[in-house]
Amino acid sequence: LLLPLLLLLLAPRVSGGLRWPRRRWPVPYRRFDYRPKTDPYCQARYTFCPTGSSIPVMKEEDVIEVYRLQAPVWEFKYGDLLGHLKIMHDAVGFKSSLTGKNYTMEWYELFQLGNCTFPHLRPGMDAPFWCNQGAACFYEGIDDAHWKANGTLVLVTTISGAMFNDMAQWVKYDNETGIYYETWTVRASPDKKSTVWFDSYECSKFILRTYQKLADLGAVFKKIQTNYTSIILFSGEPIYLGNETSIFGPQGNKTLAAAIRDFYSPFKPHQSVREFFVDIFKIIDHVFMNHQFYLFYNLEYWFLPMKSPYLKIIYEEVPLPVGSKASFGV
């Protein structure tokens, strides 16, 4: 049960009055009109999209192969270690028949997973400070060794150049409006039919949206099994708490503000082994003993009354979308 929290604590980071709950479940992911500038405080240990490029315009008559790409998270550093736990990262690959060029497209955190999942408690600032953005990355080439060695590289469909260009326009919209990474899926219980309170918004969801867009454009997908990783919290019905201003502002709830800061404190970047293990026990006390979790979603805070089994990593099948009869493809 502690493994997901341990992994998030070890993830790269920068060093540096209650209301009634909303009744619409899951809470819809909020889209924004523009992407805000990042604060200089937020520094990634690994550069986001270092070889990224713009998406090319394909000739409409081109035939483009689409590949499903999947590899263990942090495979470049830990090899297949997290693959044994089914903690996987997803991407999509393209190959142009006219030019022979390959391309990779993926969506991930600008400042690494730890920063997207937990905030920093900065001196002189009452509210937790979040370094959280996610974005699409497109670059030429497919690193066959990376995806094949410990993961998946498999053809899922073919599309026309015109469909690719339409998809590219959608990617631009999706990338400009869906800007925050959401690590957690929150459910009422392990039952597959249980209520989903909040849905995650991470790399696999971008790939699923991309596949669906291609299906909407007419792509026909092969009938192959496709599985994706989710980190799930289990909670009773969430309680809406408010936003940064209503909780931490001049007229805010000081008791609630202190409770939220206390909850997030053990998730800070650690400077010593002793400090790390002390904070692990604090996390156990909050989440497993007192059934507490504070979730930041859509720039708002929610209280999750946690319940057994508390959290779980699952690797479940999500079928590829079905295209129309008039679709272009295999």
Side-chain angles (χ1 to χ4, degrees):
L1 291 175
L2 284 174
L3 182 59
L5 288 175
L6 284 169
L7 291 171
L8 288 167
L9 282 170
L10 293 171
R13 300 193 65 184
V14 295
S15 45
L18 305 186
R19 304 179 185 179
W20 288 106
R22 299 175 180 179
R23 298 298 179 181
R24 185 181 177 186
W25 307 113
V27 172
Y29 177 84
R30 178 182 172 188
R31 289 189 173 271
F32 295 81
D33 294 332
Y34 64 94
R35 181 179 292 273
K37 292 183 178 180
T38 58
D39 192 290
Y41 178 85
C42 300
Q43 299 291 325
R45 180 171 295 180
Y46 303 106
T47 303
F48 173 81
C49 202
T51 61
S53 61
S54 59
I55 303 178
V57 176
M58 300 293 190
K59 292 185 176 180
E60 293 189 359
E61 66 272 19
D62 200 351
V63 176
I64 297 168
E65 296 176 338
V66 182
Y67 291 88
R68 177 174 185 253
L69 308 177
Q70 189 175 71
V73 169
W74 305 326
E75 191 266 351
F76 68 95
K77 186 173 183 179
Y78 300 116
D80 193 32
L81 176 62
L82 297 182
H84 292 295
L85 303 172
K86 299 300 183 183
I87 304 176
M88 309 296 282
H89 172 67
D90 299 274
V92 60
F94 304 96
K95 181 178 180 180
S96 165
S97 297
L98 288 180
T99 67
K101 289 184 177 181
N102 297 325
Y103 303 93
T104 300
M105 185 171 71
E106 50 192 326
W107 196 94
Y108 58 100
E109 323 90 16
L110 270 65
F111 309 111
Q112 271 75 70
L113 179 61
N115 287 313
C116 292
T117 309
F118 303 110
H120 293 263
L121 303 179
R122 299 176 64 180
M125 297 180 65
D126 290 332
F129 182 83
W130 292 86
C131 292
N132 179 10
Q133 282 194 35
C137 175
F138 188 95
Y139 53 94
E140 186 173 340
I142 296 177
D143 185 351
D144 288 19
H146 170 73
W147 303 106
K148 282 184 177 180
N150 299 309
T152 300
L153 194 163
V154 61
L155 178 69
V156 291
T157 189
T158 59
I159 60 175
S160 68
M163 292 163 63
F164 178 93
N165 295 335
D166 287 341
M167 178 208 70
Q169 291 301 310
W170 168 83
V171 169
K172 184 175 184 294
Y173 158 79
D174 187 80
N175 198 48
E176 290 176 348
T177 61
I179 57 180
Y180 292 111
Y181 189 102
E182 300 290 353
T183 301
W184 310 105
T185 294
V186 185
R187 301 186 67 102
S189 78
D191 186 344
K192 288 187 176 181
K193 296 182 179 180
S194 67
T195 301
V196 177
W197 308 119
F198 301 91
D199 207 353
S200 60
Y201 196 87
E202 27 73 6
C203 66
S204 68
K205 296 302 172 64
F206 173 74
I207 300 306
L208 290 169
R209 293 196 304 277
T210 301
Y211 288 159
Q212 185 60 59
K213 182 61 180 180
L214 291 176
D216 293 343
L217 291 170
V220 175
F221 285 86
K222 290 177 175 290
K223 294 181 179 180
I224 59 175
Q225 182 171 334
T226 52
N227 290 60
Y228 302 90
T229 301
S230 293
I231 303 178
I232 301 180
L233 299 176
F234 297 101
S235 164
E237 187 168 5
I239 300 171
Y240 175 69
L241 302 176
N243 58 27
E244 180 178 306
T245 301
S246 66
I247 297 173
F248 298 95
Q251 305 302 318
N253 185 325
K254 295 187 182 301
T255 301
L256 177 58
I260 293 175
R261 288 179 62 88
D262 182 61
F263 172 79
Y264 283 129
S265 178
F267 297 98
K268 62 183 178 296
H270 294 86
Q271 305 300 321
S272 69
V273 174
R274 179 183 178 279
E275 183 184 34
F276 176 82
F277 281 103
V278 167
D279 284 339
I280 283 292
F281 286 109
K282 291 180 181 178
I283 293 169
I284 292 172
D285 181 61
H286 279 303
V287 179
F288 302 106
M289 304 302 294
N290 292 310
H291 313 288
Q292 299 174 343
F293 197 99
Y294 289 94
L295 178 72
F296 190 60
Y297 193 92
N298 286 348
L299 305 183
E300 297 174 319
Y301 288 92
W302 297 76
F303 176 77
L304 305 182
M306 299 293 286
K307 61 183 184 180
S308 181
Y310 302 101
L311 72 160
K312 186 178 181 181
I313 296 175
I314 65 169
Y315 187 65
E316 65 178 354
E317 181 181 7
V318 180
L320 289 164
V322 177
S324 66
K325 292 182 179 180
S327 300
F328 176 98
V330 293

